[in-house]
Amino acid sequence: MLQEISLLRSTIETDIRALEQSKTKDAIEQFRLKHLVRKGTLQDLTDRLRDVPKEEKPAVGKELNALKTLTQNEFERLNEEFSATTATQATIDLTLPGRTLEAGAKHPIRQTLDEIVSIFTGMGFAVSEGPDIEDDFHNFEALNFPPDHPARDMQDTFFMETGGKTEGKSAAHSDVLLRTHTSPVQVRQMLHQKPPIRSIMPGRVYRNEAISARALAEFHQVEGLYVDKNVSLAELKGTLVAFAHQFYGSDLKYRFRPSFFPFTEPSAEMDITCFLCDGKGCRICKYSGWLEILGCGMVHPNVLKAGGVDPEQYSGFAFGMGIERITLLRSGIDDIRLLYDNDVRVLKQFV
Ligand code: DAH
């Protein structure tokens, strides 16, 4: 009997070595059916234990149990190893694309703003900023808006409720408001600094407008101001043409069209030929061939006075442009809201 056990042991050991080589589900199952089931080799020997003489039983039993334990353990080990490998095989899909770490980039509005700032600082302009929350004086009065100017109307301006201060006045006449343009920074700059002043003033502005493809209630502008002795309209044109050539390209065509702003006299708007259709007329330029890019003019004497500057001694020019508008025109996007949706599919096109 001991001999038979030892024979079975070597069979089992050979089977195990074979299994080590080919750990297939099938081979493992075959091993189990051969040795570990009721009709298997080990049970067969166990059944025959009763024929073994009594005095030999302990030794034979011990040997047989040792072989049983070994076989069972080896079976479990091999089975586990097999499931572990198949489990990993199942979870690793080698056809999946690798994971890339994407780099962030400047938002298109910030890109436009930075570019404008760098062109003007290159021409000797300083950069200054003013508060988003303004008062009627800086936003309107000092900029020569008459008291009944429609821009003061609730339709355009977000007036702030100022508690006790607004008492006896309607909200429309509250003195505190969200600035509707960056022009009030001109006034602050003049009150803060004696001429010569050469500054650009980027910032966020607010208007009480319904949000649509063409308008937002919150957007960005860059203001420019140059005040010194003998500043002329020719310098205004020269500066803005130099800017436009750097920003839009040196082969650009432009025109200055008379316009009206309360804070400049004379006032103009600058147009450039539509770069999408090259002046032929398209959807973006509304079939005119021209794109309006900014407002400008010679600073009104009343505005100089409000800024503490003597209009008899000094003159100046100013200009203002909308950053969103310029960004849209440049990229040919026709819905301003796309710039604020934070959809990476849109933003990625500006990287
Ligand atoms: N403040 C004007 C606006 O909100 C833009 C503007 C026009 C600014 C003419 C200026 C200027 O400084 O001279 O639309």
Side-chain angles (χ1 to χ4, degrees):
M1 185 75 180
L2 273 175
Q3 210 179 347
E4 275 186 77
I5 293 174
S6 138
L7 214 67
L8 181 56
R9 178 183 278 273
S10 57
T11 314
I12 287 177
E13 278 169 0
T14 316
D15 286 353
I16 288 171
R17 273 196 298 280
L19 267 191
E20 299 272 18
Q21 297 304 311
S22 70
K23 254 174 262 164
T24 65
K25 198 172 162 39
D26 226 30
I28 294 171
E29 182 61 4
Q30 286 305 322
F31 179 84
R32 187 181 74 86
L33 292 175
K34 184 170 170 192
H35 304 294
L36 289 165
V37 293
R38 265 218 60 76
K39 289 195 173 132
T41 52
L42 287 163
Q43 191 57 44
D44 181 46
L45 285 190
T46 313
D47 291 345
R48 284 162 48 206
L49 205 55
R50 36 182 142 78
D51 309 328
V52 175
K54 211 176 170 193
E55 56 285 6
E56 285 176 31
K57 255 188 193 156
V60 174
K62 198 175 159 214
E63 225 9 61
L64 190 57
N65 273 338
L67 183 57
K68 271 189 189 169
T69 316
L70 171 104
T71 314
Q72 187 64 37
N73 287 348
E74 285 298 276
F75 167 74
E76 274 163 24
R77 176 178 70 81
L78 288 162
N79 199 28
E80 231 166 70
E81 277 179 22
F82 169 78
S83 344
T85 39
T86 43
T88 13
Q89 271 160 12
T91 51
I92 297 176
D93 180 351
L94 297 174
T95 64
L96 281 176
R99 279 175 208 164
T100 45
L101 280 178
E102 303 216 31
K106 278 186 205 166
H107 190 276
I109 297 297
R110 173 55 61 184
Q111 286 180 27
T112 309
L113 207 72
D114 284 356
E115 216 175 306
I116 294 171
V117 167
S118 109
I119 292 171
F120 281 105
T121 50
M123 290 195 267
F125 281 75
V127 182
S128 22
E129 282 179 15
D132 288 20
I133 299 173
E134 266 297 1
D135 51 28
D136 184 88
F137 174 76
H138 292 90
N139 197 79
F140 293 126
E141 197 183 319
L143 290 166
N144 201 35
F145 280 80
D148 57 351
H149 194 280
R152 290 170 178 252
D153 199 288
M154 277 295 281
Q155 292 306 308
D156 300 302
T157 310
F158 286 115
F159 289 93
M160 315 269 286
E161 304 229 351
T162 51
K165 274 196 157 179
T166 48
E167 225 173 285
K169 295 176 171 184
S170 77
H173 295 101
S174 149
D175 274 348
V176 184
L177 48 88
L178 291 176
R179 64 178 177 190
T180 57
H181 50 178
T182 42
S183 304
V185 194
Q186 288 185 30
V187 181
R188 293 187 175 272
Q189 194 62 32
M190 286 189 278
L191 291 170
H192 173 77
Q193 181 193 352
K194 295 263 151 285
I197 298 166
R198 211 192 281 137
S199 216
I200 52 162
M201 307 142 217
R204 199 179 283 246
V205 300
Y206 307 83
R207 288 192 196 166
N208 193 0
E209 296 206 48
I211 292 169
S212 71
R214 329 200 88 246
L216 295 172
E218 212 181 306
F219 54 102
H220 296 79
Q221 289 186 336
V222 173
E223 193 78 16
L225 177 68
Y226 180 25
V227 180
D228 201 353
K229 291 194 166 130
N230 304 316
V231 174
S232 69
L233 190 67
E235 281 168 292
L236 166 62
K237 282 183 79 175
T239 306
L240 293 178
V241 170
F243 160 74
H245 278 159
Q246 283 189 62
F247 192 78
Y248 293 100
S250 50
D251 51 351
L252 150 120
K253 288 199 216 66
Y254 60 87
R255 71 179 183 191
F256 285 86
R257 227 174 348 94
S259 185
F260 175 80
F261 300 103
F263 34 90
T264 43
E265 183 57 38
S267 303
E269 279 174 301
M270 185 181 186
D271 295 341
I272 57 171
T273 39
C274 177
F275 32 74
L276 286 169
C277 62
D278 208 19
K280 287 185 203 70
C282 69
R283 190 174 49 89
I284 298 291
C285 62
K286 293 200 224 102
Y287 303 95
S288 71
W290 293 98
L291 297 171
E292 181 235 307
I293 55 159
L294 54 83
C296 60
M298 300 306 291
V299 181
H300 195 289
N302 289 350
V303 177
L304 291 173
K305 270 189 236 160
V309 173
D310 180 0
E312 299 296 330
Q313 280 195 60
Y314 293 100
S315 57
F317 69 69
F319 57 88
M321 57 188 121
I323 307 302
E324 278 78 358
R325 183 179 161 73
I326 286 177
T327 309
L328 292 187
L329 291 178
R330 255 185 148 192
S331 57
I333 296 180
D334 57 6
D335 191 330
I336 195 169
R337 294 167 293 192
L338 283 172
L339 293 176
Y340 286 92
D341 281 346
N342 285 338
D343 184 334
V344 288
R345 289 170 303 179
V346 172
L347 299 178
K348 266 184 175 172
Q349 296 175 45
F350 290 86
V351 174

